[in-house]
Amino acid sequence: MKALSLILLAGLLVRFSVYGQLVAEDASGQSSILLNASTITLDLNAAALAANWNNFRKLAIEKPHQMIWGIDARGSNSDGVAELFSGGHFTPQSRISVYVALRKSYQNSALELLKRIRDIQDSENFPNEEAINTIRQLNDQVRNIREGQASKALTIYLNPGMNANNFEQYTDLSTSTLAERFNRVRFRGAFLFAGLNYEYGRRWTLGIAAGFERCDNLDSLSSRDYTVTNITVIGGSQLLSESKHHSYTGDYIVYNRVQIKTDALYFARLNDNYRLVWNTLFTRFCIPMNEKKINRVVQAGTALNFYKSEGKFAGGLYAQSNDIFNSLHTADSFTERISFGIVAKYAFGSIMTRDFTK
């Protein structure tokens, strides 16, 4: 099944909700923090489309123990954003993964109040004036409890998955025809990460994950568009036919690496309607198993998402350096190694009741 079909299928399976609270991720759409709403995401800079689906929307923040699961899928398009919606091919860096986690909360005093609120909201005659007033009073009690003692929770998870690259590589080797220099490469890899998330109050969530990954160096190759013209002579006339190729050049390598990811999310309330989540600093340490062929790389950046408390759309941006210490020698200036991107998200469900009571 094509990556686009998989992503759309994942989106259709998710139940709609009125809330969306969204993790601010790095340029590749990854994070060490699991607190994602069920969403479809479009990255305008990377021409990538992603979807995730999980059970966070049914969790209460004070619930003592909770099993968490989810699935993520992502596909990118080498031909740009416009081609995503006009039959373009998802080529570099398709990725799909699942995760299972155990979450333990260390602040449970408001749990019974939250259960009463949920029962009232699920009742047949809701909403009515009496129920709304009762919920308002219960929310005041929850707010007082949370202000008196910050909620804390620890999540431990495993995240296995597969990554795939399908692209065309151009080689300068002598061949009988020019067209034979364009070779189709089909890479299939896998990864396994283990991670920890720590939630402190309504404001902060910290994450760290480490794992092993089988990957390639497609990001280091250069791409170019080629046009091959074939000439066929029929009698005294010539028949021209053209074929276009979007190909990558360079020394292509498949290798194993260890990757360490860290994130620090800050949640804030802008006003009664709008919220933000700021990934104040994320880091990615990419350590290859064979450093004779591949250099170790350190990445870092920041990302910001804005969303409406009772809406499904969100948007944000990120700034990231893909090579902090210039290990790849791509550019001498630090500013030239920084990339920027714009992300749009459509949320289907909420992570939990992380919001700010009025």
Side-chain angles (χ1 to χ4, degrees):
M1 180 182 294
K2 292 184 178 180
L4 178 59
S5 300
L6 180 62
I7 292 172
L8 293 177
L9 177 61
L12 291 174
L13 292 174
V14 183
R15 189 179 67 178
F16 286 84
S17 177
V18 296
Y19 299 97
Q21 302 185 23
L22 309 166
V23 166
E25 300 157 329
D26 63 20
S28 63
Q30 298 184 47
S31 175
S32 63
I33 295 175
L34 298 184
L35 300 188
N36 263 324
S38 299
T39 62
I40 283 182
T41 303
L42 174 62
D43 187 330
L44 301 178
N45 183 63
L49 190 63
N52 60 74
W53 182 33
N54 53 54
N55 68 333
F56 274 113
R57 62 193 181 278
K58 294 184 177 181
L59 301 185
I61 197 167
E62 284 88 359
K63 195 166 186 179
H65 296 90
Q66 177 67 53
M67 290 297 300
I68 301 170
W69 52 263
I71 181 171
D72 294 277
R74 177 182 175 90
S76 63
N77 188 303
S78 61
D79 296 326
V81 175
E83 293 300 319
L84 285 173
F85 304 101
S86 60
H89 298 288
F90 281 81
T91 42
Q93 305 177 355
S94 297
R95 187 180 183 95
I96 185 169
S97 67
V98 298
Y99 57 80
V100 290
L102 175 63
R103 180 180 180 275
K104 177 175 174 57
S105 174
Y106 294 93
Q107 204 272 3
N108 307 316
S109 54
L111 178 60
E112 292 302 322
L113 297 177
L114 292 172
K115 288 181 177 179
R116 289 177 60 187
I117 292 174
R118 178 170 295 179
D119 290 340
I120 294 173
Q121 292 175 334
D122 291 339
S123 61
E124 294 182 358
N125 60 345
F126 182 83
N128 57 67
E129 184 176 356
E130 181 181 357
I132 292 175
N133 290 332
T134 301
I135 290 178
R136 184 179 295 111
Q137 294 173 4
L138 292 173
N139 275 329
D140 289 340
Q141 297 179 46
V142 171
R143 180 192 59 194
N144 293 332
I145 291 174
R146 289 177 175 175
E147 290 178 351
Q149 180 182 4
S151 60
K152 302 175 184 178
L154 182 67
T155 301
I156 304 174
Y157 69 87
L158 286 176
N159 174 216
M162 298 180 295
N163 53 312
N165 290 332
N166 300 313
F167 65 97
E168 194 174 61
Q169 183 182 23
Y170 177 81
T171 59
D172 292 328
L173 300 177
S174 298
T175 57
S176 57
T177 64
L178 182 62
E180 292 179 359
R181 296 189 179 187
F182 300 95
N183 300 314
R184 177 63 60 179
V185 178
R186 300 182 183 276
F187 166 75
R188 298 293 182 270
F191 56 88
L192 175 63
F193 283 91
L196 291 173
N197 290 173
Y198 179 68
E199 302 167 36
Y200 184 82
R202 293 165 291 167
R203 301 288 186 180
W204 286 98
T205 299
L206 308 177
I208 183 171
F212 172 85
E213 186 172 15
R214 177 71 170 172
C215 54
D216 63 8
N217 68 330
L218 181 61
D219 288 339
S220 301
L221 304 183
S222 58
S223 62
R224 182 178 175 183
D225 292 322
Y226 298 86
T227 300
V228 177
T229 302
N230 297 311
I231 302 176
T232 303
V233 178
I234 303 175
S237 302
Q238 292 182 341
L239 179 64
L240 302 180
S241 62
E242 293 183 349
S243 59
K244 297 184 181 296
H245 300 265
H246 183 81
S247 300
Y248 291 77
T249 59
D251 187 12
Y252 178 67
I253 300 172
V254 176
Y255 65 101
N256 301 322
R257 72 179 181 187
V258 173
Q259 188 176 17
I260 301 173
K261 302 182 287 188
T262 68
D263 298 87
L265 294 185
Y266 177 77
F267 294 83
R269 173 180 176 176
L270 300 179
N271 55 40
D272 290 342
N273 296 319
Y274 290 95
R275 312 287 187 262
L276 70 80
V277 51
W278 177 24
N279 197 336
T280 56
L281 175 66
F282 60 79
T283 63
R284 306 290 183 259
F285 299 86
C286 305
I287 307 170
M289 307 298 289
N290 186 351
E291 295 189 28
K292 293 182 180 180
K293 293 184 177 181
I294 300 292
N295 294 328
R296 67 170 61 191
V297 174
V298 178
Q299 303 172 339
T302 186
L304 190 65
N305 279 176
F306 299 91
Y307 60 94
K308 195 172 182 180
S309 60
E310 296 188 6
K312 298 184 177 71
F313 286 97
L317 50 86
Y318 59 81
Q320 174 176 319
S321 173
N322 295 318
D323 187 7
I324 288 287
F325 301 110
N326 201 21
S327 300
L328 304 177
H329 305 287
T330 53
D332 293 332
S333 174
F334 176 78
T335 56
E336 293 178 359
R337 301 195 301 274
I338 297 179
S339 61
F340 300 89
I342 301 174
V343 177
K345 299 184 178 183
Y346 184 89
F348 289 93
S350 177
I351 54 172
M352 53 182 68
T353 56
R354 179 194 290 271
D355 205 347
F356 301 87
T357 54
K358 299 181 180 179

